[in-house]
Amino acid sequence: MAIRVMLVDDQVLLRTGFRMVLAAQPDMEVVAEAGDGVEALQVLRSTAVDVVLMDVRMPKLDGVEATSRICADPDAPKVLILTTFDLDEYAFSALKAGASGFMLKDVPPGELLAAIRSVHSGDAVVAPSTTRRLLDRFAPMLPATHQEPRHKELQRLTEREREVMVLVAQGLSNGEIAARLVLSEATVKTHVGRILTKLGLRDRVQVVVLAYETGLVRAGGGQG
């Protein structure tokens, strides 16, 4: 079954370009479009969507608030943020709101398509260099560790799970984590799944954000 994609951007030409790229893929289908967050929420009430490509800076309702409202639904589609700026505080807020990834609008088509497939599959590496730089840049705005109640949630993890969480937050793929810890990739995937379940997180981006929030990983990628 094709990945059902929704395009949300106030620039018609950009939506047209993205639609042409996606339409050429046998495993993707653009099922809806919207010019702002309000329209996006209205369309989603009646249209089944797997992945939303979301601009962050739009009139009426920006992508951050739209992402927050979309992700409040446990059965919500995955949201992939698209922005013009590499270090964008709006994109950071959108990741905090529940977005599953962050891409630049001028990303090569192949990378965008890979990101859509990755976000849809749920087991992608969603801490590419741009996302890591974004988190490093805005991590100082997060609450101090001793003020962060979610820090206690990490006590639910085993020592191995904490180890895996740190490496996920540092941007390593399952394969890279497996090599680092001398485990099978299947075992790493199991650990990641348990981390998501125990901490009530949707995907790997939320693992990264929580690792920064709790001080498990410091800005710059070091372990806390």
Side-chain angles (χ1 to χ4, degrees), residues 138-154:
F138 293 103
M141 298 179 185
L142 294 169
T145 300
H146 67 277
Q147 297 174 327
E148 179 53 67
R150 299 200 69 184
H151 190 265
K152 292 182 179 179
E153 295 183 20
L154 299 183

Side-chain angles (χ1 to χ4, degrees), residues 6-159:
M6 179 179 188
L7 306 176
V8 184
D9 197 301
D10 60 332
Q11 297 183 51
V12 178
L13 281 176
L14 270 176
R15 295 205 312 266
T16 301
F18 285 136
R19 184 171 65 248
M20 289 174 64
V21 171
L22 271 57
Q25 304 305 305
D27 61 338
M28 295 184 192
E29 178 186 5
V30 176
V31 296
E33 295 185 33
D36 58 66
V38 172
E39 187 181 355
L41 293 171
Q42 292 172 342
V43 172
L44 282 171
R45 293 193 189 105
S46 58
T47 307
V49 174
D50 298 312
V51 177
V52 178
L53 294 187
M54 177 76 75
D55 185 22
V56 284
R57 303 188 181 202
M58 297 181 293
K60 295 185 182 178
L61 187 69
D62 66 34
V64 176
E65 181 59 29
T67 296
S68 180
R69 295 188 193 182
I70 290 169
C71 294
D73 184 344
D75 297 319
K78 300 293 180 67
V79 178
L80 184 59
I81 295 298
L82 294 172
T83 180
T84 308
F85 305 100
D86 194 350
L87 294 178
D88 189 337
E89 62 187 287
Y90 289 89
F92 175 77
S93 298
L95 292 179
K96 289 267 295 170
S100 296
F102 161 75
M103 301 291 290
L104 296 177
K105 286 186 177 179
D106 61 357
V107 66
E111 289 185 27
L112 175 64
L113 296 170
I116 293 171
R117 293 184 182 105
S118 294
V119 166
H120 179 251
S121 73
D123 29 59
V125 179
V126 282
S129 58
T130 49
T131 300
R132 280 292 312 284
R133 289 201 302 277
L134 185 78
L135 286 164
D136 285 347
R137 167 69 178 81
F138 293 103
M141 298 179 185
L142 294 169
T145 300
H146 67 277
Q147 297 174 327
E148 179 53 67
R150 299 200 69 184
H151 190 265
K152 292 182 179 179
E153 295 183 20
L154 299 183
Q155 295 172 6
R156 301 173 191 168
L157 304 181
T158 65
E159 186 176 342

Side-chain angles (χ1 to χ4, degrees), residues 3 50-51 76-80 98-101 113-127 168 172-174 177 185 188-197 201-208:
I3 300 171
D50 298 312
V51 177
K78 300 293 180 67
V79 178
L80 184 59
S100 296
L113 296 170
I116 293 171
R117 293 184 182 105
S118 294
V119 166
H120 179 251
S121 73
D123 29 59
V125 179
V126 282
V168 167
L172 275 66
S173 67
N174 285 353
I177 294 171
E185 197 165 336
V188 172
K189 189 172 181 179
T190 298
H191 282 312
V192 173
R194 287 175 180 163
I195 291 166
L196 295 175
T197 300
L201 304 175
R202 277 171 59 99
D203 53 38
R204 295 170 75 113
V205 159
Q206 292 195 339
V207 171
V208 176

